[in-house]
Amino acid sequence: MNNGIISIFTNGTELSADVKTLLTRKLINRGYTVMSEYSGEATLLICIGGDGAFLETIHNCDFPGTPIVGINTGHLGFFQEVLPEDFDKFICDYEKGDYSLQKLNTVQCTVTTSDGVINSHTGLNEITITGRKSYSVHFDISIGGKPIEKFSGDGILVATSAGSTAYNYSLGGSIVDPRLQLLQVTPLAPMNTTAYRSFTSSILLPDDLCLGVVPEKPENRIYITNDGIETCYSDVKSIEVSASDKHVNLIRFNNYDFWNKVKDKFL
């Protein structure tokens, strides 16, 4: 009997390794082929760890369309659906098809430098645009190609709905139901004085609008961080942030409710 290929990833802790060993044994006994690396033929990806491990898995697999489920051995575990003690129920529900797929949208950032180099970055939670530590940045901000403001502060964050409960929330941004397709722009330490005028609260954008960012001084260093992955640029001509066509299919079982999870994790 061959029930398909399952790829399992962990965050490298001893607890996660023990959980992986036990789960692998159970899955093999039920006829599955279990791998420790990503296979395009896999019918299921399992991530053992916390939200950080989940994001790392998504990036290492280049945002796969394969359904993925998280087993929480970390702290917050907002993406993680299954507890280690619920293995048997998880396997049973999975085999019966008692679950749905929650489509998580992503955000992308395209950076164009003065010498014509174009690079792209994708985030499941968010993308932040900042300058050097302890230095303010000054940006010309546009929405849908129309100038909006001259931003001054530590930087800006653009979060997906799924990422609204992460860094965005700690900055005072709004919690957004992941079923809503939008982008949330949240300022980092914005200046609002007689000399500088910046939005001091989040802006919600429909996912068909692009956010344009032009540094006031292209020669300054700009840091793009997508889900914790930092890339440094100099001589940035322009930055465009928009919804990406990549998405993640996260398994949610029938007892899952987003707002109950918000209540359990935050209240």
Side-chain angles (χ1 to χ4, degrees):
M1 180 177 65
N2 187 344
N3 284 336
I5 298 173
I6 295 178
S7 297
I8 301 181
F9 305 88
T10 77
N11 60 0
T13 67
E14 183 177 353
L15 172 59
S16 295
D18 291 342
V19 169
K20 178 183 177 182
T21 299
L22 176 59
L23 178 59
T24 298
R25 186 183 307 123
K26 287 178 178 288
L27 291 171
I28 290 176
N29 288 341
R30 299 185 73 88
Y32 293 95
T33 299
V34 179
M35 305 178 67
S36 295
E37 62 276 345
Y38 175 62
S39 169
E41 298 178 353
T43 55
L44 177 67
L45 306 182
I46 298 176
C47 175
I48 303 172
D51 289 332
F54 183 87
L55 291 172
E56 183 177 0
T57 296
I58 292 300
H59 281 270
N60 287 343
C61 297
D62 194 23
F63 297 87
T66 307
I68 182 169
V69 65
I71 296 176
N72 189 28
T73 58
H75 296 98
L76 186 62
F78 208 87
F79 288 122
Q80 312 299 74
E81 178 76 0
V82 181
L83 295 176
E85 58 266 28
D86 295 333
F87 277 167
D88 293 330
K89 186 176 187 311
F90 150 60
I91 295 173
C92 181
D93 288 347
Y94 174 70
E95 292 182 338
K96 290 190 300 182
D98 287 345
Y99 63 87
S100 60
L101 293 180
Q102 184 181 44
K103 181 179 177 180
L104 302 180
N105 297 302
T106 60
V107 57
Q108 67 179 7
C109 171
T110 302
V111 180
T112 303
T113 62
S114 298
D115 56 5
V117 175
I118 301 175
N119 287 323
S120 181
H121 305 274
T122 303
L124 177 62
N125 270 350
E126 76 279 312
I127 287 175
T128 60
I129 307 172
T130 59
R132 288 188 295 165
K133 292 179 175 60
S134 302
Y135 282 79
S136 298
V137 290
H138 305 283
F139 297 143
D140 288 330
I141 303 291
S142 63
I143 296 176
K146 298 179 180 179
I148 296 297
E149 70 164 348
K150 289 185 176 293
F151 174 86
S152 296
D154 285 356
I156 60 172
L157 174 147
V158 184
T160 63
S161 296
S164 68
T165 54
Y167 188 17
N168 171 76
Y169 181 65
S170 69
L171 293 172
S174 299
I175 293 177
V176 177
D177 192 303
R179 289 169 290 192
L180 298 176
Q181 298 183 27
L182 53 79
L183 296 177
Q184 183 170 182
V185 184
T186 301
L188 283 71
M191 297 182 189
N192 194 0
T193 66
T194 54
Y196 299 104
R197 291 291 184 184
S198 304
F199 286 117
T200 57
S201 61
S202 295
I203 303 171
L204 301 180
L205 301 179
D207 64 354
D208 60 349
L209 281 182
C210 294
L211 180 80
V213 179
V214 176
E216 183 180 72
K217 296 181 178 180
E219 67 275 10
N220 288 347
R221 290 182 181 178
I222 298 295
Y223 292 84
I224 305 295
T225 307
N226 54 321
D227 294 340
I229 304 169
E230 185 179 83
T231 305
C232 178
Y233 289 93
S234 59
D235 292 325
V236 173
K237 180 180 179 181
S238 64
I239 302 167
E240 185 177 272
V241 187
S242 62
S244 168
D245 57 2
K246 296 180 180 180
H247 64 272
V248 174
N249 289 313
L250 182 58
I251 284 183
R252 293 302 194 188
F253 293 99
N254 291 341
N255 62 348
Y256 169 80
D257 180 81
F258 171 75
W259 291 105
N260 278 338
K261 193 143 195 174
V262 169
K263 178 182 176 182
D264 291 342
K265 298 298 182 179
F266 292 110
L267 301 179

